[in-house]
Amino acid sequence: EADIYQTPRYLVIGTGKKITLECSQTMGHDKMYWYQQDPGMELHLIHYSYGVNSTEKGDLSSESTVSRIRTEHFPLTLESARPSHTSQYLCASSGTNTGELFFGEGSRLTVL
Amino acid sequence: AQKVTQAQTEISVVEKEDVTLDCVYETRDTTYYLFWYKQPPSGELVFLIRRNSFDEQNEISGRYSWNFQKSTSSFNFTITASQVVDSAVYFCALSEYNNNDMRFGAGTRLTVKP
């Protein structure tokens, strides 16, 4: 069973607010990822990290930022949320080049 | 660049029918990995299988089976005797050995009716 946790699970906020979505894993995985997904639709990679102090942008342009100060922690921040940011955000981690991704339960964000 | 295509957007079957979900991929790497994930209504993605590019053996796990054919760049997934609990969105994914990101297909929504 995967040990990767996301908080909050659900968040409804107003436009212009700053938010941080938390993601933590206890498996010691070096690689971590953030995907954005509209319900039941395609997953889009927005950020990834190969290890501490390593972060890269994914294919989908995103106004969010990430940090990787500790192996287990990979938070995603939106400085000023907008309705276009309404979506589900999925965090994942992987321990090897061949390995499958372990996903958290997701954070469903609604920006009013 | 790697790409995964799941041409079937939605499939609806009646319980106990067999159903095959198609997946076609593109990659320039000779070493790569293919995956299937299940996303039930609860939203969490669940890993089902990984296959590397050097192993074309088909695999069977209970009611699930996978057919990997490099000649057609396909990695199809068959559910035998489908059940209502199989209703979910299924994603095929590809990861290249020299590339650390995993690319997902658009997903196929499977509905199994009682």
Side-chain angles (χ1 to χ4, degrees):
Chain A
E1 191 170 309
D3 295 313
I4 180 163
Y5 308 100
Q6 290 186 241
T7 57
R9 289 289 313 280
Y10 302 92
L11 179 63
V12 180
I13 60 169
T15 298
K17 299 291 186 183
K18 176 181 178 179
I19 63 151
T20 296
L21 304 180
E22 303 286 351
C23 177
S24 296
Q25 49 97 3
T26 59
M27 297 171 282
H29 287 169
D30 286 329
K31 300 180 180 65
M32 295 190 74
Y33 306 81
W34 276 104
Y35 287 88
Q36 184 175 342
Q37 183 195 28
D38 291 328
M41 304 296 285
E42 187 172 357
L43 280 77
H44 296 284
L45 180 67
I46 51 175
H47 296 284
Y48 58 99
S49 167
Y50 300 157
V52 172
N53 295 325
S54 153
T55 61
E56 302 285 344
K57 287 187 179 292
D59 290 336
L60 183 66
S61 174
S62 173
E63 293 161 345
S64 58
T65 59
V66 293
S67 63
R68 190 86 183 276
I69 299 172
R70 302 198 315 268
T71 297
E72 62 272 20
H73 197 211
F74 191 40
L76 180 144
T77 298
L78 277 166
E79 291 292 334
S80 180
R82 296 206 301 269
S84 60
H85 296 139
T86 294
S87 189
Q88 173 162 254
Y89 293 84
L90 292 164
C91 181
S93 71
S94 173
T96 67
N97 272 343
T98 66
E100 65 270 26
L101 298 183
F102 293 94
F103 282 87
E105 291 182 302
S107 293
R108 193 176 297 277
L109 172 66
T110 302
V111 184
L112 303 176
Chain B
Q2 70 224 74
K3 182 180 177 182
V4 177
T5 302
Q6 293 179 255
Q8 304 151 308
T9 305
E10 295 190 30
I11 300 176
S12 181
V13 299
V14 177
E15 207 168 19
K16 297 184 183 176
E17 285 185 20
D18 298 347
V19 58
T20 295
L21 310 181
D22 297 333
C23 174
V24 174
Y25 63 92
E26 295 176 28
T27 178
R28 293 178 186 163
D29 268 20
T30 55
T31 303
Y32 53 90
Y33 307 92
L34 295 162
F35 303 82
W36 276 95
Y37 287 84
K38 175 182 180 180
Q39 187 176 40
S42 60
E44 184 176 354
L45 274 98
V46 178
F47 164 76
L48 295 177
I49 190 173
R50 176 186 68 234
R51 184 52 99 218
N52 74 56
S53 53
F54 299 111
D55 182 4
E56 284 194 73
Q57 273 193 337
N58 292 330
E59 182 159 337
I60 298 174
S61 175
R63 295 184 298 106
Y64 294 173
S65 62
W66 290 269
N67 185 315
F68 175 30
Q69 292 194 344
K70 288 178 76 170
S71 60
T72 55
S73 298
S74 64
F75 186 44
N76 297 337
F77 173 30
T78 297
I79 301 174
T80 303
S82 59
Q83 299 175 1
V84 173
V85 294
D86 295 328
S87 297
V89 181
Y90 291 86
F91 291 93
C92 182
L94 167 69
S95 177
E96 295 171 337
Y97 181 75
N98 293 314
N99 190 341
N100 279 290
D101 65 3
M102 182 177 293
R103 298 301 174 92
F104 286 81
T108 297
R109 181 179 300 277
L110 173 65
T111 301
V112 181
K113 299 177 181 177

